[in-house]
Amino acid sequence: MHTLHTILLLVYILVCCVLTVIVLMQEGKQAGLTGAISGAAETYWGKNKGRSMEGGLELATRILAVVFVVLSLILNLKIFQ
């Protein structure tokens, strides 16, 4: 049981680091807002945001956030203490 806890803890630390880097790589919402005001949201890149790097970063953030919460709950269980 101690080995499983150690492995999960290492995965948890890795997820935390990767999630931090991915969030910092994302473009701020202000940049998207100025593009929407000037009409740039209707361009090719605005319509295909899901296939762009920014869309991939948002998807990765969502997935890693769920993994982060699940691992947090698992590591907090009484069986590991």
Side-chain angles (χ1 to χ4, degrees):
M1 205 52 100
H2 184 67
T3 306
L4 180 61
H5 182 264
T6 305
I7 292 171
L8 287 176
L9 193 59
L10 289 173
V11 171
Y12 183 72
I13 292 169
L14 181 68
V15 167
C16 290
C17 293
V18 172
L19 186 59
T20 303
V21 169
I22 288 178
V23 167
L24 290 174
M25 286 176 57
Q26 288 184 12
E27 189 176 274
K29 293 297 178 187
Q30 289 294 336
L33 182 62
T34 58
I37 291 172
S38 66
E42 294 300 321
T43 64
Y44 174 78
W45 298 112
K47 291 180 182 176
N48 294 315
K49 186 177 180 182
R51 291 186 225 151
S52 67
M53 185 175 132
E54 185 69 25
L57 288 174
E58 287 181 14
L59 179 64
T61 302
R62 288 185 188 132
I63 292 171
L64 286 174
V66 170
V67 171
F68 173 80
V69 170
V70 170
L71 281 175
S72 296
L73 293 173
I74 290 172
L75 288 170
N76 201 26
L77 292 176
K78 297 293 182 190
I79 58 173
F80 289 122
Q81 296 175 357

